[in-house]
């Protein structure tokens, strides 16, 4: 009956075999499975392996139920995977690798990917190479993309684990442009060894691969931790910080304990092979543990920076642990909206006065900058209203602690000319130890003509054959003299491909 229902709901006449990594399923097709699950449950039909008298609510159906009751019967005639049976045009290029545990609810899984598809559309900084959008995004999901008949371990290349690069999960990760982890309310996937292997591949081996996390709360609301912006963020870091504060603490708590060595697995041989593969990279096990924990910690940090943390950030156990994990991690990016850190410190201890508040806020930022990982390629620290953050980042760059930094965003921190000079010398020196910076955003600061002149002189001294820069100096309070300094730098051949100077006090002579 389930096979008949699946054939009625889908065109399962695909006959084209494809390599495991070139099988994909669309959001529309996953929503078709969701609809079939709802109809099956509404009709009171039984689920395989649960007994003829057992009925389930649609909300309680997981992938084990769907594989046994729908996928296996529907694909038995062809012996293909569900994704192959759906495709009548041969191999399909997957866009996004989905890491998940089969114990999670199917309806919640589809709801998470529905939200994810909308969020990928909003993430203009990282478009999919295929150009797919919304419902046309293709996903690699093991239950649908691996053949569930015969020896599934052979199809997944799990029969020989001496070379993990041959395994279907790894080949699929190589074929995809992004990874999304769908976590149930219990955080189950964060305790599975194969999900840990996928996190290691995406976050450590393929450093810089977007790795987003989606889950739901007990009321069914979807929550996420994103590399870029979600659709509801309106490309505003403040909105992103507020949204990520709602991510369920229960899942954060599981992530805080993430340990690949203690992860669960169906076959012990798989775990032995995973750990051996991870160990081939120097410090591999420690790196993946620290990077996963740091990923969640950075999303939670704005919620932690309140109360006692504002008066002594390293005195709060969760913050102290998180900073330690951050420093040990291979996290490729950190985007933190400090949410008016200075003003929140002032509210916490109003009797101390503004200078004491600025010193305390500076101490919070100092602790954070000291613990930034060397692997960091993107750093955004916004809206602290603490000028010292510019000096702290400049010192980290000067000391070679951020050798891979390519994008730096320090908007709205009350930076002045001294901080502009320090950053220009450290980030735009052009010397052998300088970071490979391609973007510098200093919008909404108090640089003035003097500060912009420091930036301009550093740009003009850069070698013309280095990668071109994007420099944003919107609303930085400079006038004609600053504009003239920038013009001189450009005439000298400064390698700048984009220069944003909006909302400044440039008059006719500066414009010329």
């Amino acid at each position: 009956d389930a096979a008949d229902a699946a054939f009625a709901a889908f065109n399962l006449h695909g006959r084209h075999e494809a390599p495991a990594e070139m099988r994909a399923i669309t959001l529309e097709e996953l929503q078709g499975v969701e609809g079939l699950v709802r109809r099956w449950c509404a009709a009171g039909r039984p689920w395989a392996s649960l007994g003829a008298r057992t009925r389930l609510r649609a909300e309680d159906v997981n992938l084990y139920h769907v594989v046994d009751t729908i996928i296996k019967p529907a694909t038995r005639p062809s012996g293909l995977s569900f994704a192959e049976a759906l495709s009548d045009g041969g191999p399909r290029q997957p866009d996004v690798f989905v890491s998940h545990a089969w114990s999670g609810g199917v309806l919640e899984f589809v709801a998470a990917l529905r939200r994810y598809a909308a969020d990928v559309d909003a993430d203009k900084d990282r478009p999919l190479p295929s150009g797919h959008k919304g419902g046309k995004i293709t996903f690699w999901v093991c239950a649908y993309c691996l053949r569930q008949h015969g020896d599934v371990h052979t199809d997944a290349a799990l029969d020989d684990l001496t070379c993990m690069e041959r395994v279907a999960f790894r080949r699929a990760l190589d074929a995809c442009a992004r990874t999304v982890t769908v976590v149930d309310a219990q955080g189950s996937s964060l305790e599975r060894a194969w999900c840990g292997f996928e996190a290691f591949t995406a976050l450590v081996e393929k450093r810089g691969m977007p790795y987003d996390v989606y889950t739901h709360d007990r009321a069914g609301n979807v929550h996420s931790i994103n590399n870029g912006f979600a659709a509801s963020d309106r490309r505003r870091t403040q909105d992103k910080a507020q949204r990520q504060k709602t991510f369920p603490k229960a899942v954060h708590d599981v992530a805080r304990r993430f340990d690949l060595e203690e992860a669960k697995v169906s076959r012990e041989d798989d775990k032995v092979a995973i750990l051996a593969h991870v160990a081939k990279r120097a410090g591999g096990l420690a790196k993946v543990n620290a990077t996963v924990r740091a990923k969640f910690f950075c999303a939670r940090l704005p919620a932690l920076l309140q109360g006692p943390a504002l008066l002594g950030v390293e005195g709060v156990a969760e913050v102290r642990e998180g900073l330690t994990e951050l420093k040990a991690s291979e996290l490729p990016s950190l985007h933190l909206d400090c949410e008016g850190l200075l003003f929140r410190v002032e509210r916490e201890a109003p009797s101390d006065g503004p200078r004491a508040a600025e010193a305390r806020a500076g101490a919070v930022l100092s602790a954070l900058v000291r613990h930034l990982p060397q692997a960091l390629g993107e750093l955004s620290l916004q809206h602290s209203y603490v000028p010292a953050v510019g000096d702290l980042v400049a010192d980290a760059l000067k000391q070679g602690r951020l050798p891979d930094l390519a994008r730096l965003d320090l908007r709205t921190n009350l930076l002045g000319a001294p901080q502009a000079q320090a950053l220009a010398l450290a980030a735009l020196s052009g010397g052998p130890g300088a970071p490979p910076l391609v973007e510098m955003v200093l919008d909404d600061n108090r640089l003035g003509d003097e500060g912009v002149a420091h930036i301009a002189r550093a740009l003009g001294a850069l070698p013309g054959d280095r990668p071109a820069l994007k420099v944003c100096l919107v609303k930085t309070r400079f006038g004609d003299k600053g504009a003239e300094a920038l013009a001189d730098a450009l005439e000298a051949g400064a390698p700048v491909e984009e220069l944003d100077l909006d909302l400044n006090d440039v008059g006719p002579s500066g414009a010329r």
Side-chain angles (χ1 to χ4, degrees):
D1 288 347
D4 292 341
F7 272 101
F10 304 97
N11 178 20
L12 294 179
H13 299 292
R15 290 291 182 270
H16 298 283
E17 295 189 13
E21 70 273 18
M22 295 303 290
R23 307 168 191 166
I25 188 164
T26 68
L27 176 61
E28 183 180 2
E29 290 162 349
L30 287 169
Q31 290 177 149
V33 173
E34 175 190 23
L36 182 55
V37 166
R38 290 185 183 279
R39 293 193 298 275
W40 194 260
C41 290
R45 309 302 298 274
W47 291 88
S49 76
L50 293 181
R53 296 182 180 277
T54 304
R55 304 293 184 267
L56 291 175
R57 299 183 312 143
E59 292 77 11
D60 297 328
V61 175
N62 63 34
L63 260 180
Y64 290 108
H65 304 136
V66 168
V67 168
D68 288 343
T69 306
I70 296 174
I71 293 178
K72 283 184 177 179
T75 57
R76 187 172 289 116
S78 66
L80 300 176
S81 68
F82 196 73
E84 288 172 295
L86 281 169
S87 174
D88 56 4
R92 278 188 191 174
Q93 169 71 48
D95 293 316
V96 181
F97 184 97
V98 185
S99 182
H100 65 107
W102 283 28
S103 56
V106 169
L107 301 194
E108 290 156 348
F109 179 83
V110 176
L113 293 186
R114 188 158 43 237
R115 174 73 63 81
Y116 175 80
D119 290 343
V120 168
D121 278 356
D123 188 3
K124 306 300 183 186
D125 296 330
R126 294 183 176 86
L128 293 169
S130 65
H132 288 156
K133 291 183 178 294
K136 299 300 181 184
I137 292 174
T138 53
F139 296 99
W140 198 92
V141 184
C142 61
Y144 300 99
C145 296
L146 292 176
R147 296 169 187 165
Q148 302 299 329
H149 299 280
D151 189 352
V152 68
H153 296 104
T154 299
D155 187 41
L158 299 179
D159 48 343
D160 179 9
L161 295 174
T162 56
C163 178
M164 294 296 282
E165 285 78 6
R166 289 184 57 249
V167 171
F169 302 106
R170 174 56 193 262
R171 299 199 322 266
L173 277 159
D174 287 341
C176 292
R178 307 175 64 116
T179 304
V180 59
T181 295
V182 178
V183 187
D184 63 20
Q186 292 73 43
S188 302
S189 62
L190 297 171
E191 299 178 321
R192 304 296 302 180
W194 277 112
C195 294
F197 168 78
E198 291 150 10
F200 172 75
T201 303
L203 289 170
V204 179
E205 289 193 311
K206 299 170 73 69
R207 201 175 77 194
M209 184 180 195
Y211 180 93
D212 300 314
V213 184
Y214 281 67
T215 191
H216 59 276
D217 56 30
R218 297 192 182 280
N221 302 305
V222 177
H223 303 271
S224 64
I225 296 173
N226 302 76
N227 268 48
F229 290 105
S232 62
D233 295 339
R234 299 176 295 173
R235 300 189 62 77
R236 288 163 49 92
T237 56
Q238 302 100 313
D239 291 353
K240 178 178 178 177
Q242 289 298 322
R243 174 182 56 77
Q244 291 191 157
K245 280 183 180 180
T246 67
F247 196 89
K249 186 176 182 298
V251 179
H252 273 298
D253 289 342
V254 177
R256 192 176 168 189
R257 302 189 302 270
F258 178 87
D259 187 346
L260 183 54
E261 207 166 20
E262 299 297 322
K264 302 170 186 175
V265 70
S266 300
R267 300 194 318 167
E268 195 59 34
D269 287 351
D270 291 3
K271 184 172 175 180
V272 170
I274 289 168
L275 292 175
H277 174 78
V278 170
K280 290 178 184 176
R281 182 184 177 101
L285 184 61
K287 288 290 185 188
V288 67
N289 287 345
T291 305
V292 171
R293 294 171 191 166
K295 173 83 178 178
F296 284 82
F297 166 72
C298 289
R300 182 159 163 72
L301 187 55
L304 293 171
L305 288 181
Q306 52 191 352
L310 293 175
L311 304 181
V313 66
E314 292 179 274
V316 177
E318 187 173 352
V319 178
R320 186 172 62 248
E321 290 171 15
L323 289 174
T324 301
E325 302 294 358
L326 178 61
K327 189 173 182 63
S329 77
E330 297 239 335
L331 209 63
S333 61
L334 172 61
H335 301 97
L336 179 64
D337 191 291
C338 298
E339 300 182 301
L341 179 63
L342 176 62
F343 308 129
R344 287 189 289 126
V345 173
E346 287 177 338
R347 286 196 298 271
E348 192 68 29
S351 62
D352 289 353
R355 288 196 175 184
E358 186 171 335
R360 280 178 169 167
V364 171
L365 293 167
S366 177
L368 176 62
V369 173
R370 285 200 315 273
H371 289 85
L372 293 177
Q374 279 204 328
L376 209 63
E378 298 182 14
L379 174 61
S380 175
L381 295 174
Q382 302 180 23
H383 301 101
S384 76
Y385 298 93
V386 181
V389 71
D391 298 307
L392 292 166
V393 172
D395 286 344
L397 289 167
K398 190 164 55 177
Q399 294 164 14
R401 290 190 278 122
L402 298 173
D404 297 332
L405 193 67
R407 290 180 169 82
L408 175 63
D409 188 339
L410 295 177
R411 73 184 75 189
T412 319
N413 288 302
L414 300 185
L415 305 184
Q419 288 77 38
Q421 182 179 23
L423 287 166
L425 291 172
L428 301 172
S429 66
L437 206 66
V438 295
E439 182 175 347
M440 176 183 272
V441 181
L442 300 176
D443 297 348
D444 196 19
N445 283 298
R446 299 174 176 179
L447 306 187
D449 285 327
E450 183 183 354
V452 169
H454 287 308
I455 300 291
R457 281 193 291 272
L459 291 172
L462 288 172
D465 58 352
R466 73 155 342 257
L469 277 152
K470 175 183 177 181
V471 180
C472 297
L473 300 171
V474 174
K475 200 178 177 183
T476 48
R477 303 190 181 190
F478 72 89
D480 291 346
K481 289 184 178 180
E484 290 164 8
L486 289 168
D488 290 343
L490 294 174
E491 287 180 0
V496 177
E497 65 177 355
E498 187 176 339
L499 190 59
D500 195 345
L501 309 176
D502 202 12
L503 300 177
N504 284 294
D505 302 318
V506 179
S509 64
R512 281 197 298 271

